[in-house]
Amino acid sequence: MSFKSFLLVIFLGVLFTGCMPKQDDVKNVFQSDSANIIKRDYKKSQKLLISFKKKLDLRNPKAFDKSIEKKIYALIESSEKTLLLKYNNKILENYKDYLQLAFSKDTIKNRNDFLVLGLYYSLYDAYDIEDGHKIIALAYEKEKLHKLHKNLQILKWKLKVDKDLNNDYLFLTWQNNWQIELEKRLNNNEEITYEDIKNLTYIKDGKESLLSRSNFTFEVLLTQMIYNVENTLFALGEEPKKLAIDAVFFLFI
């Protein structure tokens, strides 16, 4: 069947059923299977990012601006690029600027917001959201998606290990509170005994124990985002590349 014949079938179907399809239904009719898969991958990552922000702000409550909290959620949910932060009186437009500030060793106010927006604008750029609806998968730029895949792997590692100039973690994620307190005392060259460990605030108050499990929620969320991008790349006929451990120390690309 030719494309014109296909259009005629759709038109006649609408004519004789007496009802108009919804705009999204029309889009899906003309969109290739691969393009639909890619669209779903992006939407899944959107939801994961919203969960990521909620958990990040809860774990690092002093590191985000409450006055723009709702704006950021609305931005992600609506797939827009209408909120650009400033740093040193310069408007930041590129996702790399946000990510570099998020992981800067300097004192950064509202670090969470730079990380979340850096993540969001990485997705926004790689999936070409600004260019609108994609009819076929070939309309996507593969190189951008490969960059996103690499950056997410780098980010996943840096989120766990990066520290500031005071040797404090940039973000609290997997760590138990007693581990943070113990590490600070060790960094001050204190000699720690078993009694000292039992008297760490969160252990002494019964809020945590030495057997308390680390929080792997953030790692799981980022792993799922990475999987979504890999699924997108497979839909495009591309082979995602896993970074070697030494490669995760590279800068964002």
Side-chain angles (χ1 to χ4, degrees):
M1 181 186 293
S2 69
F3 185 67
K4 288 183 178 179
S5 299
F6 178 69
L7 285 176
L8 180 60
V9 170
I10 295 294
F11 174 75
L12 291 174
V14 171
L15 183 64
F16 286 108
T17 57
C19 62
M20 288 297 292
K22 296 179 181 178
Q23 186 177 9
D24 285 344
D25 292 336
V26 174
K27 287 179 179 179
N28 288 331
V29 166
F30 292 104
Q31 195 174 37
S32 70
D33 288 341
S34 294
N36 272 322
I37 289 170
I38 294 170
K39 183 180 178 182
R40 286 197 296 269
D41 290 336
Y42 171 75
K43 288 187 174 295
K44 287 178 186 177
S45 292
Q46 265 182 305
K47 292 179 180 178
L48 290 169
L49 183 53
I50 288 171
S51 295
F52 181 89
K53 174 173 169 52
K54 289 178 180 177
K55 295 179 184 301
L56 188 70
D57 291 346
L58 188 64
R59 189 70 181 94
N60 302 266
K62 296 181 180 180
F64 73 102
D65 186 349
K66 292 183 180 179
S67 69
I68 62 170
E69 180 183 8
K70 291 182 179 179
K71 290 182 181 179
I72 293 178
Y73 283 123
L75 187 80
I76 298 170
E77 290 171 350
S78 61
S79 292
E80 295 179 348
K81 192 175 181 180
T82 54
L83 176 63
L84 299 175
L85 302 184
K86 285 185 178 181
Y87 184 75
N88 288 341
N89 295 319
K90 178 186 176 183
I91 296 176
L92 307 176
E93 297 189 17
N94 192 291
Y95 68 83
K96 286 189 286 187
D97 294 331
Y98 288 89
L99 292 178
Q100 285 166 3
L101 279 171
F103 288 98
S104 170
K105 291 185 177 294
D106 297 330
T107 300
I108 301 295
K109 187 178 180 182
N110 302 323
R111 193 183 291 272
N112 291 9
D113 296 337
F114 288 109
L115 175 56
V116 171
L117 287 175
L119 248 173
Y120 169 64
Y121 288 138
S122 296
L123 290 166
Y124 185 93
D125 180 70
Y127 282 90
D128 285 326
I129 302 303
E130 191 171 28
D131 291 339
H133 193 72
K134 304 291 186 185
I135 299 298
I136 58 172
L138 292 176
Y140 291 92
E141 294 186 41
K142 298 175 182 179
E143 186 57 35
K144 284 185 177 181
L145 289 158
H146 277 296
K147 284 183 179 180
L148 174 62
H149 185 242
K150 291 176 183 176
N151 282 337
L152 284 172
Q153 292 178 76
I154 294 171
L155 190 153
K156 180 182 170 183
W157 176 259
K158 290 172 75 66
L159 191 67
K160 291 190 295 185
V161 303
D162 274 20
K163 296 181 179 182
D164 62 19
L165 296 174
N166 296 317
N167 207 32
D168 294 324
Y169 286 103
L170 297 180
F171 299 96
L172 297 183
T173 54
W174 60 270
Q175 310 91 336
N176 287 305
N177 291 293
W178 70 263
Q179 291 172 306
I180 299 298
E181 185 180 354
L182 177 60
E183 187 167 343
K184 285 182 178 179
R185 294 178 65 173
L186 290 172
N187 288 337
N188 289 330
N189 296 318
E190 294 184 33
E191 292 186 8
I192 303 296
T193 65
Y194 181 65
E195 286 299 316
D196 292 326
I197 294 176
K198 289 197 300 182
N199 286 312
L200 293 170
T201 304
Y202 279 80
I203 291 179
K204 186 178 180 180
D205 293 346
K207 296 178 180 178
E208 295 177 350
S209 75
L210 293 176
L211 299 178
S212 295
R213 294 183 177 181
S214 297
N215 184 356
F216 292 108
T217 302
F218 297 93
E219 186 161 358
V220 169
L221 289 171
L222 288 171
T223 298
Q224 289 175 325
M225 285 188 204
I226 292 170
Y227 171 78
N228 290 338
V229 180
E230 289 176 350
N231 196 53
T232 292
L233 287 168
F234 283 130
L236 292 170
E238 294 287 300
E239 185 71 29
K241 295 180 181 179
K242 298 285 187 182
L243 293 181
I245 293 297
D246 55 347
V248 298
F249 294 102
F250 294 162
L251 297 174
F252 295 108
I253 57 176

